[in-house]
Amino acid sequence: PTIKEDTAMFSVSSEFGAVSASKTPPRLDPLLIEEAQVRLPWEEQIENDNNEVACLSEEISCGQQWYQTRQLLTRLWVLPRDMSNGSWEAYAVAANNGEDRMLSCVPQLLRLPPDDIERSAKTVLSVLKLPPALLRREPLLLTVPPELLVTGFEKLLSGERERGKTQEGIDEEARLNVLEACKDTPGLLLEAATQD
């Protein structure tokens, strides 16, 4: 039998021990869709008339955009995909809980273009060299434009360099200190990236 709820994104077949991501876009909660339309402070204010907002709501509710976003976040290991350390059933539950947590924290992920989310994720992972666990813990970082993320990191790095003065090898040490601080201090990178 397959363990699957109507809103589940992952299913488990205990007969064959297989896990698969749902191929169809998920049905989304109308309240979540409404919350997704709330603009984040760093988003540019775009003037929309009611027809465009209604269209946006309809696009979100069909779940196609989140389906694409979910696929890319899985590829980047932000959402789980590895079954090597546990049971198939535990994986499916963890995967659904991870998505639920992410969307309840940042419903805007339903409406933001997957390409923008991917650029932000890749900036955190590849440019700043921070772990996927940070994006799971602070999914709001996925909504911040890459240039703001880099600027925020550079602000933190500059402050760390100031503290170290001009000692030899300080750049690498400062970078490592900032990386550790971002991993260990919730909201540090987000605050640095979104401050004026």
Side-chain angles (χ1 to χ4, degrees):
T2 298
I3 300 168
K4 186 171 183 176
E5 297 176 24
D6 286 346
T7 58
M9 308 285 179
F10 292 88
S11 64
V12 179
S13 173
S14 57
E15 183 178 338
F16 299 108
V19 168
S20 64
S22 172
K23 300 281 189 230
T24 58
R27 285 180 289 188
L28 300 172
D29 179 355
L31 182 58
L32 198 58
I33 294 166
E34 187 177 317
E35 290 172 356
Q37 294 179 35
V38 174
R39 291 264 185 237
L40 296 165
W42 48 87
E43 288 185 280
E44 291 181 8
Q45 295 300 320
I46 300 171
E47 294 181 4
N48 291 316
D49 62 27
N50 289 337
N51 288 339
E52 289 177 12
V53 172
C55 179
L56 176 64
S57 177
E58 188 174 313
E59 288 174 21
I60 292 171
S61 67
C62 79
Q64 187 61 40
Q65 191 136 322
W66 173 244
Y67 176 78
Q68 292 170 357
T69 300
R70 178 179 48 150
Q71 296 303 313
L72 78 88
L73 292 176
T74 301
R75 276 194 318 274
L76 295 172
W77 291 90
V78 174
L79 288 174
R81 68 173 178 175
D82 186 358
M83 286 302 308
S84 62
N85 291 326
S87 72
W88 300 100
E89 291 85 2
Y91 168 76
V93 169
N96 284 328
N97 288 343
E99 287 184 43
D100 289 345
R101 183 185 169 282
M102 189 171 280
L103 287 174
S104 67
C105 290
V106 190
Q108 290 82 2
L109 292 171
L110 293 172
R111 73 167 164 80
L112 294 173
D115 291 343
D116 291 354
I117 294 169
E118 182 176 27
R119 279 191 291 278
S120 295
K122 284 183 174 180
T123 297
V124 170
L125 301 172
S126 300
V127 176
L128 304 180
K129 307 284 190 216
L130 289 160
L134 180 66
L135 293 173
R136 285 190 289 275
R137 191 178 72 222
E138 298 184 45
L140 202 51
L141 290 170
L142 294 166
T143 68
V144 178
E147 46 289 343
L148 290 180
L149 291 167
V150 170
T151 300
F153 190 83
E154 289 298 325
K155 283 183 205 174
L156 295 171
L157 192 54
S158 173
E160 185 63 25
R161 284 181 184 138
E162 293 275 322
R163 279 190 282 285
K165 301 296 180 213
T166 57
Q167 298 171 10
E168 202 170 302
I170 193 64
D171 278 346
E172 186 57 29
E173 184 181 334
R175 182 170 181 75
L176 291 174
N177 289 343
V178 170
L179 286 171
E180 287 303 313
C182 287
K183 287 189 259 182
D184 296 340
T185 310
L188 181 66
L189 180 58
L190 181 66
E191 185 178 330
T194 58
Q195 283 181 350
D196 287 336

